Amino acid sequence: MKDEIKYKADTERVCNNSPTNQEMMSTSDFLSDFSGSVISNIRKQMENLHVCSHREENLCFENAFSLIDLLPINAIESTSSQIPKRKISEANKERRKTTSTSSESNIYSPLTSFITADSELHDIIKDLEDCLMVGLHTCGDLASNTLRIFTSKSEIKGVCSVGCCYHLLSEEFENPHKECIQKKWGFPMCHYLKEERWCCGRNARMSACLALERVTVGQGLPTESLFYRAVLQDIIKDCYGITKCDRHVGKIYSKSSSFLDYVRKSLKKLGLDESKLPEKIIMDYYEKYKPRMNELEAFNMLKVVLAPCIETLILLDRLCYLKEQEDIAWSALVKLFDPVKSPRCYAVIALKKQQ
């Protein structure tokens, strides 16, 4: 306790003697209006903090103002031991309670809506002002549409988009002979690839979803489940004459006790007559292809090795699209996450020029 009291006394002395402290606004001066002037002041304080030693820097910054005090009282979960208890004046408590009950100042408000490139944000967010758009993770075409919305809406000053599910991307040149009224596609986005009429195809986009880093550290591909799925497809093709189907088998492998059980459950889910296939025929297919499981594993490893090339192509297409926009001040691909924990670890980040 003595050490803590001395520590607090030293904190007050250091901050009171700091030249930075004399230029700061008191917390009460900007609690009522957390506006651009406050942001500017915070930036100045952060820039000036280099005059303090590392320990003094933290003390000065914490003592001068607390960003937590600026938030509504319901915006913070105080269950964590990392957030120390602070003495708040009664007036400040009442102010924060009033703020937190006001519908206009809710920091987090969940909303579900189907978003396209043509979505009107003002219909979704009534009081839309200068903001940053963040997507984590934006599935399929949502990643492309996020960037299009960013470039078309003046209120959005920055974007951070981490995409996923490349296999669900729509491609403009995948089916050139098929009539389609869709005008805005998930891929390609930039002028160069559009002029080249570039197409990846579903198999390549499926490969882009694989995780090379996970395989590298020993978290290999589920070879047996892939083998089951490949043999099942051959059975359906030969015995039912079906080469294409809109239905999906899904994650049946983990619920199956054997290959026979897997086939039975899959046929039932696909709406096919399982009584048409006796057990012997199913197991004959299994024994026929079992020696080729190593080939399947080698083929899938090749896909894993090529996966980063395809993913990079898709990400660079999005980056080039942003580079083509005249009002973008800065844009880049930034590696945000550990690829072993989160294989889709690259974010497309951009900031607009200040008007």
Side-chain angles (χ1 to χ4, degrees):
M1 288 297 293
K2 289 180 180 178
D3 290 341
E4 186 175 349
I5 292 170
K6 184 177 181 300
Y7 177 80
K8 289 181 178 178
D10 290 343
T11 301
E12 293 176 1
R13 177 177 55 79
V14 168
C15 292
N16 289 334
N17 293 336
S18 169
T20 309
N21 188 55
Q22 297 174 15
E23 297 176 7
M24 295 175 182
M25 295 168 62
S26 65
T27 306
S28 60
D29 288 337
F30 57 81
L31 279 174
S32 59
D33 183 19
F34 191 55
S35 60
S37 61
V38 180
I39 300 295
S40 177
N41 185 51
I42 293 173
R43 285 174 179 162
K44 288 178 182 178
Q45 294 171 28
M46 294 178 70
E47 291 170 359
N48 292 333
L49 283 175
H50 71 275
V51 299
C52 305
S53 66
H54 180 69
R55 182 184 176 192
E56 289 174 343
E57 174 181 324
N58 292 335
L59 296 177
C60 290
F61 190 81
E62 185 176 347
N63 193 63
F65 62 91
S66 171
L67 292 178
I68 291 177
D69 290 336
L70 300 175
L71 301 176
I73 202 163
N74 63 347
I76 304 164
E77 292 185 11
S78 57
T79 54
S80 171
S81 59
Q82 296 177 353
I83 303 176
K85 292 182 179 179
R86 290 177 170 79
K87 292 182 179 179
I88 307 173
S89 68
E90 291 302 319
N92 200 19
K93 283 183 180 179
E94 288 302 318
R95 183 201 63 79
R96 287 172 60 184
K97 285 180 182 178
T98 304
T99 305
S100 62
T101 56
S102 173
S103 60
E104 285 107 19
S105 60
N106 286 336
I107 287 182
Y108 176 68
S109 179
L111 173 69
T112 302
S113 180
F114 184 77
I115 301 298
T116 68
D118 299 317
S119 294
E120 183 52 62
L121 295 188
H122 283 284
D123 294 339
I124 303 170
I125 308 170
K126 301 299 182 184
D127 54 346
L128 182 67
E129 298 176 354
D130 290 359
C131 61
L132 170 73
M133 178 177 280
V134 179
L136 181 70
H137 287 75
T138 45
C139 178
D141 284 0
L142 183 57
S144 307
N145 289 333
T146 297
L147 300 181
R148 289 191 175 102
I149 292 172
F150 163 66
T151 58
S152 63
K153 306 298 181 184
S154 60
E155 297 90 349
I156 306 176
K157 305 303 181 183
V159 67
C160 176
S161 174
V162 183
C164 70
C165 303
Y166 301 125
H167 61 292
L168 297 178
L169 276 173
S170 63
E171 288 199 65
E172 184 174 359
F173 306 108
E174 187 172 12
N175 298 302
H177 303 297
K178 183 178 179 181
E179 291 187 10
C180 187
I181 59 173
Q182 184 170 339
K183 295 181 180 179
K184 295 178 180 176
W185 302 83
F187 181 88
M189 294 186 71
C190 71
H191 289 316
Y192 175 75
L193 291 184
K194 281 181 175 292
E195 289 173 356
E196 294 292 321
R197 301 181 65 83
W198 191 276
C199 173
C200 291
R202 180 175 170 82
N203 285 336
R205 287 184 278 111
M206 285 287 289
S207 300
C209 298
L210 299 174
L212 175 62
E213 289 81 3
R214 284 185 176 177
V215 176
T216 304
V217 298
Q219 299 178 23
L221 289 168
T223 303
E224 188 175 64
S225 66
L226 293 171
F227 174 71
Y228 278 17
R229 176 63 181 79
V231 178
L232 172 69
Q233 184 166 331
D234 220 40
I235 291 175
I236 293 174
K237 178 183 175 183
D238 293 347
C239 301
Y240 294 91
I242 298 174
T243 56
K244 287 187 177 182
C245 182
D246 294 333
R247 298 185 181 182
H248 298 280
V249 173
K251 299 179 180 179
I252 289 181
Y253 172 78
S254 59
K255 305 170 186 175
S256 305
S257 57
S258 63
F259 177 72
L260 179 63
D261 187 35
Y262 173 83
V263 173
R264 295 290 189 204
K265 288 180 177 177
S266 299
L267 292 175
K268 186 176 181 179
K269 186 171 182 180
L270 293 172
L272 300 174
D273 184 8
E274 57 180 294
S275 63
K276 185 179 179 179
L277 285 179
E279 180 179 333
K280 184 179 183 306
I281 293 180
I282 294 174
M283 294 312 297
D284 283 348
Y285 271 92
Y286 179 81
E287 295 299 330
K288 175 185 176 181
Y289 288 110
K290 188 177 179 181
R292 302 190 65 184
M293 190 182 291
N294 288 339
E295 295 179 40
L296 179 65
E297 185 171 13
F299 175 71
N300 282 306
M301 287 301 294
L302 180 60
K303 289 173 68 178
V304 169
V305 171
L306 294 174
C309 301
I310 305 164
E311 181 179 25
T312 301
L313 172 66
I314 295 171
L315 293 177
L316 287 177
D317 172 55
R318 294 170 182 175
L319 180 62
C320 287
Y321 167 78
L322 293 175
K323 297 288 186 185
E324 292 167 356
Q325 312 304 314
E326 295 181 355
D327 61 339
I328 304 297
W330 177 86
S331 58
L333 284 177
V334 180
K335 188 175 183 180
L336 291 185
F337 312 118
D338 179 354
V340 176
K341 295 179 181 178
S342 181
R344 306 284 77 81
C345 60
Y346 286 96
V348 179
I349 300 178
L351 297 172
K352 285 181 181 172
K353 295 176 181 177
Q354 293 185 4
Q355 299 297 326

